[in-house]
Every structure is written in structure tokens, then in C-alpha cells.
Amino acid sequence: MVQRPTQYVGSEINTIRKDLKTVDLTFALVFPDLYEIGTSHFGLQILYSILNSHEKIAAERFFAPAPDMAAILQEKGIPCLSMESKKELKSFDIIGISLLYELNFTNILTLLSLSSIPFYAKEREDVFPLIIGGGPCAFNPEPLADFFDAFVIGDGEEVAVEIANLVVAFKKEGDGQKKTLLRLLSKIDGVYIPSFFSPDYNAAGLQQLTPLFEDYQTVRRAFLPSLTKETFPVSPIIPFAKPVHDRLRLEIARGCSRGCRFCQAGMIYRPVRERSLEDLIEITKTSLNTTGHSDISLLSLSTGDYSNLPELMKRLHAIGQEHCNAISLPSIRAEKLTPDLMQIIKKVRKTGFTIAPEAGSQRLRDVINKNLTEESILSTVENAMNLGWKNIKLYFMLGLPFETPEDIEAICHLSRRLASSYAKGKKTINVSTTSFIPKAHTPFQRCSQISLDEAREKLQYLKSNLRHPKINLKWQGPEMSLLEGVWSRGDRRLSKLLVAAFEKGCRLDGWTDKFNFSLWQKAFEETGIDPLFYTTRERDEDEPLPWDHIDSGVSPSFLKKEFQKAKEMSLTPDCRDNDCTGCGVCDFKTIKPVLYDGIPDIRQTDSVSSQDMKRLPDDAFAKFELSFSKLDEARFFGHLELGIIFQRAVKRAGLNARYSQGFNPLMQISFENALPVGMESEEETLFIYFEKDVAPVKIVDVLNRELPKGLLITGCETFDRLKDRNEKSAYYTIRISDGKFDKEEVERFLQLSEFIIQDLSKKGKTRTTDLRKSVERIFFINSNILEMILKSYNERTVRPMEILTNCFRLDEKTLASIRITKMKQG
């Protein structure tokens, strides 16, 4: 069986399924990383919601398969299939691929290869599928240009719909020529067509692009003027398995104007556009009801800068009295911690808290325009610890421009000072470091990246000098940073490198346990590409850059001026609170900062009454016993996952359940048995407290509307403590699809007086079990079906797979094809 099979099921709550025969356009949304990463990505949820809001457009999701699943697909010749309809990738009209991280690039080739889609755009003569990339990595699209038909540069909400509508019209009325379609797409703001630019390389090996059309020489980034609730995914998909961000993600603002000179996101997402407080409250109420989430995460490049943060936190806390256990406030500067905000923060359960000094010394923080003093860092950590955070994460970069050895020592000094002063008791300081990687469209885009040897030397210094019982040091491997640097500032010659690395087996390079630098080294050697040409080499002021034709909105003169100010250690203030810095992004008509400084009337925007927030006393609840079936796709739910699914279903159904007391209240729900992953059951039992006067028939009705496919409430009654619940025996049907049961072997086992095995209990103690005594009966129906009755033995529950694995000589392939169903009693 593959690991975490529910990541491939596709029946999550809030998925949208359409009859693909009735739509005008199919749009594949591809995230080239594992489900647990991709399903948490907010941008994917936005596009999924917006595209599917159009009746004649069907958007479906794809994620990179894990190695075990990829091997099965390869072996059996099964293509990548969509989560929703199980339609193969190459049959979609448009394939939109998210480009968030350079070390995901080989995963793109994995998806194309499994789907029998040619890698290179020039080899795909048919109009469809049209392959489009978008995301931060698209701001230097050149390393991937040979693979894509088009890129979207900038905000995708409006552009995605424009592209979809244009393609629909072309399918109906176009001439069927791919070049014609691409020419039409090039007229849309933010759309880059790589084939309309021809690359040449001069004597120094520098790429220069020649536009093929006079009216298409640069591509200006697409801008979304403001964030409205109409483009917010208020019913996001609720992931199965264990996503990295399993909470309601609330984008409160987009863009950052602090002007850190190393930060690409701070440049390419300008200007700052806040979401209004009224919209955020309305979105939160709706989304908590549609998801059943217990935690909220505030999403922004600089959360603490949101104009109405104290008021927002106060209202979110009021809404979440019964619905929400934690509000994630990932980072906030000391000067933003007002007394009101501190009182609110004290009331909520804390998640992670990160401070990013980036550099250890004040001199280097001024170089990078961090606008963060050591006093502010100290105050922020002290306040965070006092407010209840137990773990503080500090983030630093090694190899920043104009760095000296004293700056590395300053990282150690600052970290030790914080740990000694504030990390008392169980509190800790987690220091995370990575090598500085110059990025396109930043003031440091022409700077050199430190070599592998330098990175290893600086990292070793930290390891040797950050030995403190309250400090944990973590780091990204210098080899991964080197590779990221190559792709960050690469050109079209890297396409052959990516194919070579993929053919050598490079996959999931962003995962430390999957990254294999030796394979990349072989790919560099085989293709004759020198990674140092793209990393350690500093660019001259007049050197053409691979991304010169991409207009991020920030002017080249501003970037040049900021680099000069870095040399002078001169600060540039935040234009949010000061005069315009002249970055060039705003036209002050449609493109301008959107801030909400005023506090709207609470009575008009907040409909949460004291009655809504009032917690009922424990004696207002009664215990209910629910029976349910767990069949088909639901057999892949693990026990913990099942508990989360039911708790969220209860919330979405609007049922009032009883919670435990304390700072982190938990819904009082329990299960009679924990089924193994992969086993079906016609009847299981759970216990939960609901209000006394709620009718059992209503509980069944409203809960079944909120459960995913395969789970069904079959009965509900008030708990009877006198009822005999001791399961004396359990009846199973066992079906095998790849192999056969041997009747003689079954009979030989039944004739045994004992069959002793030894294994380790969950507590690590050796336990002895007589499997024969645990088997009451086995019925041989035919060579593909057994029926088995098991009874508890020595106070433990024996499962059919234990019998099949230990007592019958079935190979691994046969065992993997077995499907077990626990039958309803009687």
C-alpha cells in the first residue's frame, strides 16, 4: 500500500465536480510538489475558486506523486489523473503550473513524463494542452522558457479568467493554429510568450533576447488593484492526510513596502493592498462555517503592519470563542505591540512566532534596509515570551552582500544573548540559517552568491559557536542553496540541465531526504554547464540580465539607487508611513497602496452577540452513541484523521458539541475501536456530547450532509450505560484481487492447536499471541473470498491481516491486493 493514500482520493470537503462534457474549458491546476504542501497553498485555492465560479469552466487539481505512487504509475503505465474526475493531465485544455520554488522544477518533468506530454514546447505541435506557468519564479522565466507555452507574470486572479475566456472563444471561432492563439494571449497584460523572443549568446556567454514582434518587446506584470471578498475562496478545500498548514488561511494584505533589499517578494508584490476589516470579518464567519476549521492563520508578508490589527484580533477572538482554538500571528514587531493587542494575544493559544533579523549586526541590517534595531529584537522576544510563546524562531542569512566575519559572530552573540535573557524553563530559541540567494528584480540581483566552501565554512562557525542548551540550530544545506541560486538567475541554456537531472533520477529536490547533489553534479558535467557562472560571478552594471524583458513595475533606476544606498549603509523608509520612495510601481490612479486606517462601527460589521458566544454548562449536554459505516475511499482514513473529519463535520453542521475545559478546549468525542488504515467497516461506533434536546434523527441528517464520500451515519441514540458493548467476536469478509487463497492451507491452519507469534506492544514490551485461539471460524467461499470470525485474545484485538501475513504464505504483492471489510454484527 502507498503511504498516506488519502492524498490521492480527491473527495475532500468543498471540492467542486462538474460534468466535463458540459463545460467549454477544462483547466488543470498543477502544484509540482507533494499534496501536503500544494493543498495548503493559498494561491491554488484562489484560482480553483475563481475559475470554478464560472459555469462553463472546470478547474481540477494535480499534485506531484510521492515516489512510491510514482513508481506504481510508471510500472503500470497509468498517467497522472486529476483529483476530482480522474481525468488524465494531457486531456485538459490548459495546464497551469504553480512556480513557487526553484527546487520543484524536476517535479514538473515528473508530471509531464508520467502523462506522456513532451517536455519541450516546440515538440508539442497541437494547440492543446496549453501549458502556462505562474508564480514568483515566473519573474525570471528563462530557465523554464523552453518548456512552457506561456507565463503569467504577477497577480493571477483576473488574468486567469481572461486567458480562459480567450481560449474558449478561440476553440469556437479560432483558426486552430497554435501561433495564432499565442499571439492573442500576448495581448493580455502579464502574459509572456517565450517563443516570441529569440535567444542569442555573446562572446561572454550572456543571453540576449530579440523580440519577434515590434509591439511585444517587454511584458509588464499584471496588477490586482484591490483585494475584495469576491476573489477570496470562502469555501476552501479541506485537505485529507497531514497538510503543512491545516487551518483557515486569512490573507489580510498583499505586498510589503518595507523595502528589504534582498527580498524578491517585497519588490514583486508591491504595492501594499490591505483587505478591509469588514470583509475579513465576513469572510472569517463564512469560512469557519464552510470548513469547520479550529485554527486561523493570518497571511501576509508583514502581518504586524496591518492597519487595524488590534481591532481585527479582537473581533476574530470574539468570533472564535467556540469555533477557534488558535489564531496564528506568525511575527509582530515590538513597536506594534500595543497594550490592547497584548491583552488579546494573551487570550489565544499560540502557534509559532518568527523574527527575521536576517543579519546579526546593526551595520549589516542597515545594508539590507531591514529597519530593525537590536533593541526592537530584544523587546519583541521579551514581549513574545511574556505573552505565552515558548519557542521563538530567528531567521538569518549567510553571505549577504558586504558581509564580514564580524557579522557572522554577531549572529552568535545576538542568539546567545536572547537565549540567556529570555529562554527560561522550557522556552527555547530556534535559529534557522540559509545562504543568501540573489533574486531577480531586487537591488541585490547583480551580486555574487557565496561559494559552497564559503557557505560550509560559515555554517561550521555557527555550529561551533552556538552551543547553548536553549538554542537549536537548523539550516538549509549549502548544496541546495547553490542549486536554487543557479535556477534563480539562470537562462534558457538550463533547460537541458533540468532534463539531464531528471533522467538521472532527481526528484523532489526541495526535500532534504530526497535531494541528491551528486546526481546534479553529474548533470552539470554532462551538459557542460558551470554552476558558478550563475552564482558566484558578480554582474556588471551594464550586463544584460535574462529577465530584462520582464517589467515587475519596480524601475531599474530605483534598484540601482537602492544598491548604492546599501553600499553607503543608508536606510530607505517605509512609504506606508513616509513619503513615496519612487520605486515606480504606483500610478496613483488604479495602482496605489490600499490601506484601511479607520475603525468601522462594530455594530454594523460584527453580528456576533453575547448569546452566540456564550458557552453552555456541561449539564446542558447529553452523551450520544452514533453508528457509522466506513467504506470505499473512506477505508484509507487513519484513526486520527477520522477524528478530525468528524469534528469538522459537526462544526459545519451547526451542531453544538461539548468541549473540555481549559486554555485549549477539545471537542469531547471518542471512538469505540480504531480500525487499521485500508480496512472497511459496515458499522463502527463513536460517542459524542450534543445538546440534550437535539433529535437523533436531526443529528443523522445534518451530519451526513457534511461527511466525505464513504462515511455514513447509520444510526444515533442517546447513550445507554447499561448496554453491553463488549465485542465478543468480529465478522470479516476478505477479498483478494491479485492471487488466490489455498483451501488446503486454510484447513491446515484450522486443524492446528496453536500458532504462536511474538511482537512488540506500543509500549515496547514483548507480547506473545496465539493467533489460532483468536480465530473462531474461517469460511472458504472461493479462491478469492474468505469469511473470518475473530475473537479477542489475551485482552488484545487481532486483525485479519495479522492472520493472513503470519499464517498463510502470501507474498507482498498478493497482500497488497487484499480488501477487508468488517461486517455489521448480526
Side-chain angles (χ1 to χ4, degrees), residues 732-735 741 784-786 788 800 804 818-820:
Y732 300 91
T733 297
I734 304 163
R735 291 177 172 83
F741 292 117
N784 297 113
I785 302 175
L786 293 182
M788 186 180 294
L804 299 172
I818 287 175
R819 192 158 170 173
I820 302 172

Side-chain angles (χ1 to χ4, degrees), residues 141-312:
E142 292 310 291
L144 296 176
D146 289 343
F147 305 117
F148 283 78
D149 297 306
F151 291 90
V152 170
I153 314 298
D155 298 318
E157 285 94 333
E158 294 178 348
V159 179
V161 177
E162 282 189 74
I163 290 173
N165 289 335
L166 190 152
V167 172
V168 168
F170 182 83
K171 287 177 68 177
K172 293 178 179 178
E173 303 169 3
D175 63 7
Q177 298 298 309
K178 189 171 190 176
K179 188 172 182 178
T180 303
L181 176 58
L182 295 178
R183 189 75 173 109
L184 292 169
L185 289 170
S186 72
K187 304 295 184 181
I188 298 175
D189 286 345
V191 174
Y192 169 49
I193 309 297
S195 60
F196 289 176
F197 291 79
S198 177
D200 292 301
Y201 302 90
N202 63 20
L206 304 176
Q207 175 179 293
Q208 293 177 297
L209 295 177
T210 302
L212 302 186
F213 299 96
E214 287 189 7
D215 63 345
Y216 189 62
Q217 300 199 23
T218 60
V219 179
R220 181 166 170 79
R221 167 197 155 195
F223 289 88
L224 185 68
S226 61
L227 304 182
T228 65
K229 60 187 177 185
E230 285 74 27
T231 59
F232 194 99
V234 293
S235 299
I237 293 170
I238 312 304
F240 292 147
K242 294 182 179 179
V244 292
H245 296 296
D246 195 12
R247 56 180 72 103
L248 176 62
R249 310 198 75 195
L250 195 61
E251 185 190 31
I252 63 174
R254 190 176 301 178
C256 177
S257 53
R258 287 193 171 269
C260 298
R261 293 174 179 133
F262 60 86
C263 181
Q264 186 185 54
M267 296 294 164
I268 65 174
Y269 290 125
R270 293 182 174 209
V272 173
R273 290 145 292 165
E274 293 185 343
R275 208 177 289 275
S276 74
L277 186 62
E278 298 96 323
D279 281 359
L280 287 171
I281 297 305
E282 186 176 336
I283 286 167
T284 301
K285 291 176 182 178
T286 302
S287 296
L288 287 175
N289 288 332
T290 62
T291 63
H293 272 305
S294 296
D295 297 344
I296 297 174
S297 178
L298 303 185
L299 188 63
S300 171
L301 287 175
S302 184
T303 303
D305 287 334
Y306 182 74
S307 298
N308 267 322
L309 186 61
E311 187 67 20
L312 174 63

